[in-house]
């Protein structure tokens, strides 16, 4: 038993926000080892391998499984295969004291410990009545490995991994966030900044030289106390990307910052306007979709420069489709050799008031480099598919950093009204 106990690295976690679980009706459903291990393996590989000498990388292979297969992958230079490496440890997760979460109340629920368990409209809409939220008061995670050096790395890197990752559906929007018990806001921010340093070092060693690279760390603090933390994340994200409609905002519409405020190359048409004009060409009545500042009677799809239709919102993650409900029109998104592009944004609720925003600019640049054309496919019942083609803009044509930087779009348009927005640690753009 002593030998076994010496092989264990244990962490006690506190749950900050409810986790949306696909097996939420089962007792004990929570963080799954089958989800945690491959994600943490990839984290270990990137930041342990990436910040190690060539000889050190060879030594690290002694702590992985399937060494022969991995050596073959290394010789072939297949990066995607190498990312599937599995380190020689096991994970055991113990959940205690499950607190039931009511999806129907839609309100903040405080139990004296200050936890909020709001179930947003976003989650209900996506999963309907089958949505299950889980919240535990006590979570223990045990890593079991015979390798002392590997246990040392786990002990060092897992708190960093935990600080920048959530679990379950909607984890990039703040759901399913956990922290190590005893870590306060300052410690969480310290861990997040360590993650930024690790990523910057990895990028440096990889020799990537795009202008906007690395991870930016920003934060907002909600000013309206009656609103709930996860609801505020959803609200902030909509103002940034899709726009906040009048039904959600006391009759006032707030246009998308990405579409209305951010600068783009002269003569460019962004995708939302192009899609509306495409529908107009297909004899849809788009009067319910337009405002005077958006489209006028003289605008025509045929008059657009087709080479200058840019898809900008996709740079912050691909949705499954775009739907114009007022006219019952739906566009699917098709990109050759790309099935999905997860959002490079993460919202991390480090307290009931403060939310950290991580922006991975390197992922955005990788996506730009991989994708040339994006097709929006209009599917109508009993009719042939019709397509609208667009492009992803380069960083020079449309910068994401202009949204988040000091004195940028967000700071100049939103800070001080509903949110206090600030920069913790920005990227350094090479100009």
């Amino acid at each position: 038993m002593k030998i076994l106990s010496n092989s264990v690295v244990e962490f006690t976690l506190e749950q900050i926000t409810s986790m949306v679980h696909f097996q939420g009706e089962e007792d004990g459903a929570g963080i799954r080892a089958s989800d945690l291990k491959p994600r943490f393996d990839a984290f270990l590989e990137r930041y342990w391998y990436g910040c190690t000498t060539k000889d050190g990388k060879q030594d690290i292979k002694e702590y992985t499984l399937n060494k022969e297969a991995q050596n073959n992958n290394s010789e072939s230079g297949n990066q995607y295969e190498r990312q599937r490496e599995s380190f020689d440890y096991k994970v055991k997760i113990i959940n205690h004291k499950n607190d039931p979460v009511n999806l129907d109340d839609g309100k903040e629920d405080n139990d004296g410990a200050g936890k909020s368990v709001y179930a947003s409209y976003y989650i209900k809409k996506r999963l309907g009545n089958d949505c299950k939220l889980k919240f535990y008061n006590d979570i223990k995670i045990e890593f079991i490995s015979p390798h002392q050096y590997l246990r040392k790395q786990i002990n060092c890197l897992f708190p960093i991994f935990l600080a920048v990752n959530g679990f379950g559906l909607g984890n990039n929007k703040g759901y399913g966030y956990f922290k190590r018990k005893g870590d306060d806001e300052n410690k969480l921010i310290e861990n997040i900044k360590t993650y930024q340093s690790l990523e910057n070092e990895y990028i440096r060693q990889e020799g990537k030289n795009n202008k906007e690279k690395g991870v930016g760390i920003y934060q907002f603090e909600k000013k309206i106390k009656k609103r709930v933390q996860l609801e505020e994340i959803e609200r902030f994200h909509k103002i940034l990307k899709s726009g906040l409609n009048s039904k959600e905002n006391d009759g006032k519409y707030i246009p998308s910052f990405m579409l209305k405020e951010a600068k783009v190359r002269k003569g460019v048409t962004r995708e939302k306007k192009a899609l509306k004009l495409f529908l107009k060409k297909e004899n849809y009545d788009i009067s319910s979709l337009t405002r005077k500042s958006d489209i006028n009677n003289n605008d025509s799809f045929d008059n657009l420069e087709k080479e200058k239709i840019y898809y900008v919102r996709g740079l912050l993650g691909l949705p499954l489709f775009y739907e114009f409900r007022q006219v019952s029109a739906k566009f699917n998104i098709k990109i050759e050799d790309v099935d999905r592009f997860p959002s490079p944004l993460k919202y991390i609720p480090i307290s009931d008031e403060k939310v950290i925003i991580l922006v991975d600019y390197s992922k955005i640049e990788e996506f730009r480099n991989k994708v040339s054309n994006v097709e929006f496919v209009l599917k109508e019942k009993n009719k042939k598919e019709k397509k609208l083609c667009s492009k992803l803009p380069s960083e020079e044509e449309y910068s994401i950093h202009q949204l988040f930087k000091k004195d940028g779009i967000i700071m100049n348009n939103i800070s001080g009204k509903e949110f206090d927005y600030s920069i913790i640690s920005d990227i350094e753009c090479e100009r």
Side-chain angles (χ1 to χ4, degrees), residues 324-353:
F324 295 91
R325 295 183 182 175
Q326 299 94 320
V327 296
S328 301
K330 179 179 175 181
F331 289 90
N332 291 329
I333 300 169
K334 183 178 180 182
I335 303 176
E336 187 175 357
D337 297 327
V338 175
D339 294 326
R340 62 191 296 266
F341 171 55
S343 175
L345 267 66
K346 286 184 180 178
Y347 294 93
I348 302 173
I350 63 171
S351 73
D352 286 341
E353 305 297 332

PDB file of all heavy atoms in Angstrom, residues 324-353:
ATOM      1  N   PHE A 324     -31.742  32.154 -40.910  1.00  0.00           N
ATOM      2  CA  PHE A 324     -32.541  33.372 -40.897  1.00  0.00           C
ATOM      3  C   PHE A 324     -33.992  32.949 -40.666  1.00  0.00           C
ATOM      4  O   PHE A 324     -34.714  32.607 -41.615  1.00  0.00           O
ATOM      5  CB  PHE A 324     -32.388  34.136 -42.217  1.00  0.00           C
ATOM      6  CG  PHE A 324     -31.002  34.666 -42.454  1.00  0.00           C
ATOM      7  CD1 PHE A 324     -30.056  33.917 -43.138  1.00  0.00           C
ATOM      8  CD2 PHE A 324     -30.636  35.914 -41.986  1.00  0.00           C
ATOM      9  CE1 PHE A 324     -28.776  34.401 -43.353  1.00  0.00           C
ATOM     10  CE2 PHE A 324     -29.357  36.419 -42.203  1.00  0.00           C
ATOM     11  CZ  PHE A 324     -28.425  35.659 -42.886  1.00  0.00           C
ATOM     12  N   ARG A 325     -34.405  32.928 -39.417  1.00  0.00           N
ATOM     13  CA  ARG A 325     -35.706  32.362 -39.073  1.00  0.00           C
ATOM     14  C   ARG A 325     -36.869  33.164 -39.624  1.00  0.00           C
ATOM     15  O   ARG A 325     -37.916  32.601 -39.951  1.00  0.00           O
ATOM     16  CB  ARG A 325     -35.832  32.268 -37.552  1.00  0.00           C
ATOM     17  CG  ARG A 325     -34.850  31.299 -36.930  1.00  0.00           C
ATOM     18  CD  ARG A 325     -35.059  31.202 -35.448  1.00  0.00           C
ATOM     19  NE  ARG A 325     -34.085  30.318 -34.845  1.00  0.00           N
ATOM     20  CZ  ARG A 325     -33.983  30.119 -33.542  1.00  0.00           C
ATOM     21  NH1 ARG A 325     -34.808  30.761 -32.717  1.00  0.00           N
ATOM     22  NH2 ARG A 325     -33.085  29.301 -33.055  1.00  0.00           N
ATOM     23  N   GLN A 326     -36.674  34.483 -39.715  1.00  0.00           N
ATOM     24  CA  GLN A 326     -37.782  35.316 -40.183  1.00  0.00           C
ATOM     25  C   GLN A 326     -38.248  34.921 -41.585  1.00  0.00           C
ATOM     26  O   GLN A 326     -39.407  35.115 -41.945  1.00  0.00           O
ATOM     27  CB  GLN A 326     -37.379  36.797 -40.175  1.00  0.00           C
ATOM     28  CG  GLN A 326     -37.004  37.337 -38.805  1.00  0.00           C
ATOM     29  CD  GLN A 326     -35.506  37.267 -38.555  1.00  0.00           C
ATOM     30  OE1 GLN A 326     -34.861  36.283 -38.923  1.00  0.00           O
ATOM     31  NE2 GLN A 326     -34.977  38.308 -37.939  1.00  0.00           N
ATOM     32  N   VAL A 327     -37.316  34.385 -42.388  1.00  0.00           N
ATOM     33  CA  VAL A 327     -37.670  34.010 -43.771  1.00  0.00           C
ATOM     34  C   VAL A 327     -37.486  32.511 -44.014  1.00  0.00           C
ATOM     35  O   VAL A 327     -37.523  32.046 -45.155  1.00  0.00           O
ATOM     36  CB  VAL A 327     -36.829  34.818 -44.781  1.00  0.00           C
ATOM     37  CG1 VAL A 327     -37.143  36.290 -44.668  1.00  0.00           C
ATOM     38  CG2 VAL A 327     -35.332  34.563 -44.594  1.00  0.00           C
ATOM     39  N   SER A 328     -37.281  31.752 -42.931  1.00  0.00           N
ATOM     40  CA  SER A 328     -37.140  30.290 -43.016  1.00  0.00           C
ATOM     41  C   SER A 328     -36.065  29.866 -44.001  1.00  0.00           C
ATOM     42  O   SER A 328     -36.284  29.036 -44.893  1.00  0.00           O
ATOM     43  CB  SER A 328     -38.486  29.645 -43.411  1.00  0.00           C
ATOM     44  OG  SER A 328     -39.478  29.955 -42.479  1.00  0.00           O
ATOM     45  N   ALA A 329     -34.890  30.455 -43.844  1.00  0.00           N
ATOM     46  CA  ALA A 329     -33.759  30.110 -44.705  1.00  0.00           C
ATOM     47  C   ALA A 329     -32.587  29.649 -43.848  1.00  0.00           C
ATOM     48  O   ALA A 329     -32.319  30.217 -42.786  1.00  0.00           O
ATOM     49  CB  ALA A 329     -33.341  31.311 -45.551  1.00  0.00           C
ATOM     50  N   LYS A 330     -31.907  28.631 -44.330  1.00  0.00           N
ATOM     51  CA  LYS A 330     -30.810  28.042 -43.570  1.00  0.00           C
ATOM     52  C   LYS A 330     -29.625  27.768 -44.491  1.00  0.00           C
ATOM     53  O   LYS A 330     -29.781  27.159 -45.553  1.00  0.00           O
ATOM     54  CB  LYS A 330     -31.282  26.745 -42.909  1.00  0.00           C
ATOM     55  CG  LYS A 330     -30.234  26.001 -42.105  1.00  0.00           C
ATOM     56  CD  LYS A 330     -30.847  24.752 -41.492  1.00  0.00           C
ATOM     57  CE  LYS A 330     -29.838  23.907 -40.771  1.00  0.00           C
ATOM     58  NZ  LYS A 330     -30.440  22.681 -40.205  1.00  0.00           N
ATOM     59  N   PHE A 331     -28.437  28.215 -44.067  1.00  0.00           N
ATOM     60  CA  PHE A 331     -27.202  27.981 -44.816  1.00  0.00           C
ATOM     61  C   PHE A 331     -26.301  27.044 -44.032  1.00  0.00           C
ATOM     62  O   PHE A 331     -25.974  27.311 -42.862  1.00  0.00           O
ATOM     63  CB  PHE A 331     -26.449  29.287 -45.047  1.00  0.00           C
ATOM     64  CG  PHE A 331     -27.092  30.230 -46.019  1.00  0.00           C
ATOM     65  CD1 PHE A 331     -28.002  31.181 -45.585  1.00  0.00           C
ATOM     66  CD2 PHE A 331     -26.783  30.182 -47.374  1.00  0.00           C
ATOM     67  CE1 PHE A 331     -28.591  32.064 -46.466  1.00  0.00           C
ATOM     68  CE2 PHE A 331     -27.366  31.065 -48.268  1.00  0.00           C
ATOM     69  CZ  PHE A 331     -28.273  32.010 -47.820  1.00  0.00           C
ATOM     70  N   ASN A 332     -25.895  25.948 -44.660  1.00  0.00           N
ATOM     71  CA  ASN A 332     -24.856  25.101 -44.088  1.00  0.00           C
ATOM     72  C   ASN A 332     -23.491  25.614 -44.541  1.00  0.00           C
ATOM     73  O   ASN A 332     -23.375  26.268 -45.584  1.00  0.00           O
ATOM     74  CB  ASN A 332     -25.036  23.645 -44.524  1.00  0.00           C
ATOM     75  CG  ASN A 332     -26.256  23.009 -43.899  1.00  0.00           C
ATOM     76  OD1 ASN A 332     -26.639  23.367 -42.788  1.00  0.00           O
ATOM     77  ND2 ASN A 332     -26.881  22.081 -44.600  1.00  0.00           N
ATOM     78  N   ILE A 333     -22.468  25.313 -43.764  1.00  0.00           N
ATOM     79  CA  ILE A 333     -21.117  25.780 -44.066  1.00  0.00           C
ATOM     80  C   ILE A 333     -20.280  24.608 -44.547  1.00  0.00           C
ATOM     81  O   ILE A 333     -20.254  23.547 -43.910  1.00  0.00           O
ATOM     82  CB  ILE A 333     -20.474  26.422 -42.829  1.00  0.00           C
ATOM     83  CG1 ILE A 333     -21.303  27.614 -42.363  1.00  0.00           C
ATOM     84  CG2 ILE A 333     -19.038  26.859 -43.113  1.00  0.00           C
ATOM     85  CD1 ILE A 333     -20.894  28.146 -41.025  1.00  0.00           C
ATOM     86  N   LYS A 334     -19.599  24.806 -45.673  1.00  0.00           N
ATOM     87  CA  LYS A 334     -18.774  23.750 -46.239  1.00  0.00           C
ATOM     88  C   LYS A 334     -17.380  24.304 -46.532  1.00  0.00           C
ATOM     89  O   LYS A 334     -17.238  25.291 -47.250  1.00  0.00           O
ATOM     90  CB  LYS A 334     -19.408  23.210 -47.524  1.00  0.00           C
ATOM     91  CG  LYS A 334     -18.649  22.034 -48.147  1.00  0.00           C
ATOM     92  CD  LYS A 334     -19.361  21.521 -49.383  1.00  0.00           C
ATOM     93  CE  LYS A 334     -18.606  20.356 -50.013  1.00  0.00           C
ATOM     94  NZ  LYS A 334     -19.276  19.880 -51.246  1.00  0.00           N
ATOM     95  N   ILE A 335     -16.369  23.650 -45.940  1.00  0.00           N
ATOM     96  CA  ILE A 335     -14.972  24.012 -46.175  1.00  0.00           C
ATOM     97  C   ILE A 335     -14.215  22.730 -46.492  1.00  0.00           C
ATOM     98  O   ILE A 335     -14.269  21.764 -45.731  1.00  0.00           O
ATOM     99  CB  ILE A 335     -14.348  24.697 -44.951  1.00  0.00           C
ATOM    100  CG1 ILE A 335     -15.139  25.940 -44.549  1.00  0.00           C
ATOM    101  CG2 ILE A 335     -12.892  25.067 -45.232  1.00  0.00           C
ATOM    102  CD1 ILE A 335     -14.634  26.602 -43.291  1.00  0.00           C
ATOM    103  N   GLU A 336     -13.519  22.722 -47.591  1.00  0.00           N
ATOM    104  CA  GLU A 336     -12.804  21.518 -48.012  1.00  0.00           C
ATOM    105  C   GLU A 336     -11.743  21.132 -46.981  1.00  0.00           C
ATOM    106  O   GLU A 336     -10.953  21.971 -46.532  1.00  0.00           O
ATOM    107  CB  GLU A 336     -12.133  21.757 -49.369  1.00  0.00           C
ATOM    108  CG  GLU A 336     -11.503  20.508 -49.963  1.00  0.00           C
ATOM    109  CD  GLU A 336     -10.954  20.743 -51.361  1.00  0.00           C
ATOM    110  OE1 GLU A 336     -11.111  21.865 -51.880  1.00  0.00           O
ATOM    111  OE2 GLU A 336     -10.359  19.809 -51.913  1.00  0.00           O
ATOM    112  N   ASP A 337     -11.759  19.861 -46.591  1.00  0.00           N
ATOM    113  CA  ASP A 337     -10.790  19.276 -45.657  1.00  0.00           C
ATOM    114  C   ASP A 337     -10.895  19.832 -44.233  1.00  0.00           C
ATOM    115  O   ASP A 337      -9.990  19.617 -43.426  1.00  0.00           O
ATOM    116  CB  ASP A 337      -9.349  19.464 -46.161  1.00  0.00           C
ATOM    117  CG  ASP A 337      -9.093  18.757 -47.483  1.00  0.00           C
ATOM    118  OD1 ASP A 337      -9.698  17.693 -47.695  1.00  0.00           O
ATOM    119  OD2 ASP A 337      -8.308  19.287 -48.295  1.00  0.00           O
ATOM    120  N   VAL A 338     -11.963  20.552 -43.925  1.00  0.00           N
ATOM    121  CA  VAL A 338     -12.157  21.066 -42.570  1.00  0.00           C
ATOM    122  C   VAL A 338     -13.555  20.696 -42.100  1.00  0.00           C
ATOM    123  O   VAL A 338     -14.544  21.136 -42.675  1.00  0.00           O
ATOM    124  CB  VAL A 338     -11.979  22.599 -42.508  1.00  0.00           C
ATOM    125  CG1 VAL A 338     -12.304  23.108 -41.105  1.00  0.00           C
ATOM    126  CG2 VAL A 338     -10.554  22.990 -42.889  1.00  0.00           C
ATOM    127  N   ASP A 339     -13.632  19.869 -41.079  1.00  0.00           N
ATOM    128  CA  ASP A 339     -14.922  19.481 -40.524  1.00  0.00           C
ATOM    129  C   ASP A 339     -15.382  20.448 -39.437  1.00  0.00           C
ATOM    130  O   ASP A 339     -16.575  20.713 -39.299  1.00  0.00           O
ATOM    131  CB  ASP A 339     -14.858  18.064 -39.946  1.00  0.00           C
ATOM    132  CG  ASP A 339     -14.637  17.012 -41.017  1.00  0.00           C
ATOM    133  OD1 ASP A 339     -15.144  17.213 -42.143  1.00  0.00           O
ATOM    134  OD2 ASP A 339     -13.950  16.019 -40.745  1.00  0.00           O
ATOM    135  N   ARG A 340     -14.428  20.952 -38.675  1.00  0.00           N
ATOM    136  CA  ARG A 340     -14.791  21.854 -37.598  1.00  0.00           C
ATOM    137  C   ARG A 340     -13.592  22.735 -37.253  1.00  0.00           C
ATOM    138  O   ARG A 340     -12.442  22.374 -37.503  1.00  0.00           O
ATOM    139  CB  ARG A 340     -15.264  21.086 -36.360  1.00  0.00           C
ATOM    140  CG  ARG A 340     -14.218  20.170 -35.750  1.00  0.00           C
ATOM    141  CD  ARG A 340     -14.819  19.246 -34.692  1.00  0.00           C
ATOM    142  NE  ARG A 340     -15.331  19.999 -33.571  1.00  0.00           N
ATOM    143  CZ  ARG A 340     -14.637  20.256 -32.474  1.00  0.00           C
ATOM    144  NH1 ARG A 340     -13.385  19.838 -32.363  1.00  0.00           N
ATOM    145  NH2 ARG A 340     -15.165  20.938 -31.480  1.00  0.00           N
ATOM    146  N   PHE A 341     -13.876  23.879 -36.681  1.00  0.00           N
ATOM    147  CA  PHE A 341     -12.848  24.780 -36.162  1.00  0.00           C
ATOM    148  C   PHE A 341     -13.354  25.295 -34.826  1.00  0.00           C
ATOM    149  O   PHE A 341     -14.173  26.208 -34.775  1.00  0.00           O
ATOM    150  CB  PHE A 341     -12.581  25.929 -37.135  1.00  0.00           C
ATOM    151  CG  PHE A 341     -11.694  27.013 -36.577  1.00  0.00           C
ATOM    152  CD1 PHE A 341     -10.436  26.704 -36.069  1.00  0.00           C
ATOM    153  CD2 PHE A 341     -12.115  28.332 -36.550  1.00  0.00           C
ATOM    154  CE1 PHE A 341      -9.615  27.692 -35.541  1.00  0.00           C
ATOM    155  CE2 PHE A 341     -11.305  29.338 -36.034  1.00  0.00           C
ATOM    156  CZ  PHE A 341     -10.050  29.012 -35.532  1.00  0.00           C
ATOM    157  N   PRO A 342     -12.901  24.664 -33.721  1.00  0.00           N
ATOM    158  CA  PRO A 342     -13.372  25.099 -32.402  1.00  0.00           C
ATOM    159  C   PRO A 342     -12.988  26.550 -32.156  1.00  0.00           C
ATOM    160  O   PRO A 342     -11.979  27.037 -32.653  1.00  0.00           O
ATOM    161  CB  PRO A 342     -12.637  24.156 -31.440  1.00  0.00           C
ATOM    162  CG  PRO A 342     -12.182  23.005 -32.277  1.00  0.00           C
ATOM    163  CD  PRO A 342     -11.948  23.554 -33.644  1.00  0.00           C
ATOM    164  N   SER A 343     -13.790  27.225 -31.374  1.00  0.00           N
ATOM    165  CA  SER A 343     -13.529  28.628 -31.099  1.00  0.00           C
ATOM    166  C   SER A 343     -12.166  28.806 -30.448  1.00  0.00           C
ATOM    167  O   SER A 343     -11.808  28.083 -29.520  1.00  0.00           O
ATOM    168  CB  SER A 343     -14.606  29.196 -30.166  1.00  0.00           C
ATOM    169  OG  SER A 343     -14.285  30.531 -29.812  1.00  0.00           O
ATOM    170  N   PRO A 344     -11.368  29.770 -30.917  1.00  0.00           N
ATOM    171  CA  PRO A 344     -10.088  30.079 -30.272  1.00  0.00           C
ATOM    172  C   PRO A 344     -10.261  30.946 -29.033  1.00  0.00           C
ATOM    173  O   PRO A 344      -9.277  31.377 -28.441  1.00  0.00           O
ATOM    174  CB  PRO A 344      -9.330  30.829 -31.371  1.00  0.00           C
ATOM    175  CG  PRO A 344     -10.401  31.509 -32.161  1.00  0.00           C
ATOM    176  CD  PRO A 344     -11.579  30.574 -32.137  1.00  0.00           C
ATOM    177  N   LEU A 345     -11.515  31.219 -28.645  1.00  0.00           N
ATOM    178  CA  LEU A 345     -11.820  31.971 -27.433  1.00  0.00           C
ATOM    179  C   LEU A 345     -12.212  31.017 -26.315  1.00  0.00           C
ATOM    180  O   LEU A 345     -12.936  30.046 -26.533  1.00  0.00           O
ATOM    181  CB  LEU A 345     -12.984  32.939 -27.652  1.00  0.00           C
ATOM    182  CG  LEU A 345     -12.672  34.377 -28.056  1.00  0.00           C
ATOM    183  CD1 LEU A 345     -12.045  34.402 -29.428  1.00  0.00           C
ATOM    184  CD2 LEU A 345     -13.932  35.211 -28.016  1.00  0.00           C
ATOM    185  N   LYS A 346     -11.724  31.314 -25.119  1.00  0.00           N
ATOM    186  CA  LYS A 346     -12.180  30.613 -23.925  1.00  0.00           C
ATOM    187  C   LYS A 346     -12.574  31.649 -22.886  1.00  0.00           C
ATOM    188  O   LYS A 346     -11.833  32.598 -22.634  1.00  0.00           O
ATOM    189  CB  LYS A 346     -11.080  29.714 -23.347  1.00  0.00           C
ATOM    190  CG  LYS A 346     -10.823  28.446 -24.134  1.00  0.00           C
ATOM    191  CD  LYS A 346      -9.786  27.587 -23.408  1.00  0.00           C
ATOM    192  CE  LYS A 346      -9.512  26.306 -24.189  1.00  0.00           C
ATOM    193  NZ  LYS A 346      -8.462  25.478 -23.514  1.00  0.00           N
ATOM    194  N   TYR A 347     -13.739  31.436 -22.285  1.00  0.00           N
ATOM    195  CA  TYR A 347     -14.192  32.282 -21.186  1.00  0.00           C
ATOM    196  C   TYR A 347     -14.027  31.496 -19.885  1.00  0.00           C
ATOM    197  O   TYR A 347     -14.579  30.406 -19.750  1.00  0.00           O
ATOM    198  CB  TYR A 347     -15.646  32.686 -21.377  1.00  0.00           C
ATOM    199  CG  TYR A 347     -15.886  33.575 -22.578  1.00  0.00           C
ATOM    200  CD1 TYR A 347     -16.231  33.039 -23.811  1.00  0.00           C
ATOM    201  CD2 TYR A 347     -15.761  34.956 -22.478  1.00  0.00           C
ATOM    202  CE1 TYR A 347     -16.452  33.846 -24.909  1.00  0.00           C
ATOM    203  CE2 TYR A 347     -15.983  35.777 -23.571  1.00  0.00           C
ATOM    204  CZ  TYR A 347     -16.329  35.222 -24.785  1.00  0.00           C
ATOM    205  OH  TYR A 347     -16.543  36.025 -25.875  1.00  0.00           O
ATOM    206  N   ILE A 348     -13.258  32.056 -18.962  1.00  0.00           N
ATOM    207  CA  ILE A 348     -12.930  31.362 -17.721  1.00  0.00           C
ATOM    208  C   ILE A 348     -13.472  32.164 -16.538  1.00  0.00           C
ATOM    209  O   ILE A 348     -12.947  33.240 -16.220  1.00  0.00           O
ATOM    210  CB  ILE A 348     -11.408  31.182 -17.579  1.00  0.00           C
ATOM    211  CG1 ILE A 348     -10.866  30.397 -18.785  1.00  0.00           C
ATOM    212  CG2 ILE A 348     -11.063  30.479 -16.277  1.00  0.00           C
ATOM    213  CD1 ILE A 348      -9.353  30.314 -18.816  1.00  0.00           C
ATOM    214  N   PRO A 349     -14.534  31.678 -15.895  1.00  0.00           N
ATOM    215  CA  PRO A 349     -15.132  32.411 -14.760  1.00  0.00           C
ATOM    216  C   PRO A 349     -14.363  32.159 -13.474  1.00  0.00           C
ATOM    217  O   PRO A 349     -14.638  31.208 -12.754  1.00  0.00           O
ATOM    218  CB  PRO A 349     -16.548  31.835 -14.694  1.00  0.00           C
ATOM    219  CG  PRO A 349     -16.405  30.449 -15.247  1.00  0.00           C
ATOM    220  CD  PRO A 349     -15.280  30.452 -16.222  1.00  0.00           C
ATOM    221  N   ILE A 350     -13.391  33.004 -13.169  1.00  0.00           N
ATOM    222  CA  ILE A 350     -12.540  32.752 -12.001  1.00  0.00           C
ATOM    223  C   ILE A 350     -13.211  33.167 -10.695  1.00  0.00           C
ATOM    224  O   ILE A 350     -12.731  32.822  -9.619  1.00  0.00           O
ATOM    225  CB  ILE A 350     -11.170  33.450 -12.142  1.00  0.00           C
ATOM    226  CG1 ILE A 350     -11.330  34.964 -12.208  1.00  0.00           C
ATOM    227  CG2 ILE A 350     -10.414  32.906 -13.343  1.00  0.00           C
ATOM    228  CD1 ILE A 350     -10.012  35.716 -12.137  1.00  0.00           C
ATOM    229  N   SER A 351     -14.321  33.911 -10.790  1.00  0.00           N
ATOM    230  CA  SER A 351     -15.086  34.269  -9.596  1.00  0.00           C
ATOM    231  C   SER A 351     -16.506  34.594 -10.035  1.00  0.00           C
ATOM    232  O   SER A 351     -16.830  34.559 -11.226  1.00  0.00           O
ATOM    233  CB  SER A 351     -14.465  35.466  -8.873  1.00  0.00           C
ATOM    234  OG  SER A 351     -14.682  36.661  -9.595  1.00  0.00           O
ATOM    235  N   ASP A 352     -17.355  34.948  -9.075  1.00  0.00           N
ATOM    236  CA  ASP A 352     -18.731  35.304  -9.418  1.00  0.00           C
ATOM    237  C   ASP A 352     -18.810  36.607 -10.194  1.00  0.00           C
ATOM    238  O   ASP A 352     -19.823  36.908 -10.818  1.00  0.00           O
ATOM    239  CB  ASP A 352     -19.579  35.431  -8.148  1.00  0.00           C
ATOM    240  CG  ASP A 352     -19.903  34.076  -7.540  1.00  0.00           C
ATOM    241  OD1 ASP A 352     -19.795  33.075  -8.271  1.00  0.00           O
ATOM    242  OD2 ASP A 352     -20.257  34.028  -6.360  1.00  0.00           O
ATOM    243  N   GLU A 353     -17.755  37.405 -10.159  1.00  0.00           N
ATOM    244  CA  GLU A 353     -17.770  38.707 -10.813  1.00  0.00           C
ATOM    245  C   GLU A 353     -16.842  38.790 -12.020  1.00  0.00           C
ATOM    246  O   GLU A 353     -17.139  39.470 -12.998  1.00  0.00           O
ATOM    247  CB  GLU A 353     -17.364  39.815  -9.808  1.00  0.00           C
ATOM    248  CG  GLU A 353     -18.205  39.854  -8.542  1.00  0.00           C
ATOM    249  CD  GLU A 353     -19.656  40.171  -8.816  1.00  0.00           C
ATOM    250  OE1 GLU A 353     -19.936  40.856  -9.811  1.00  0.00           O
ATOM    251  OE2 GLU A 353     -20.518  39.736  -8.029  1.00  0.00           O
TER     252      GLU A 353
END
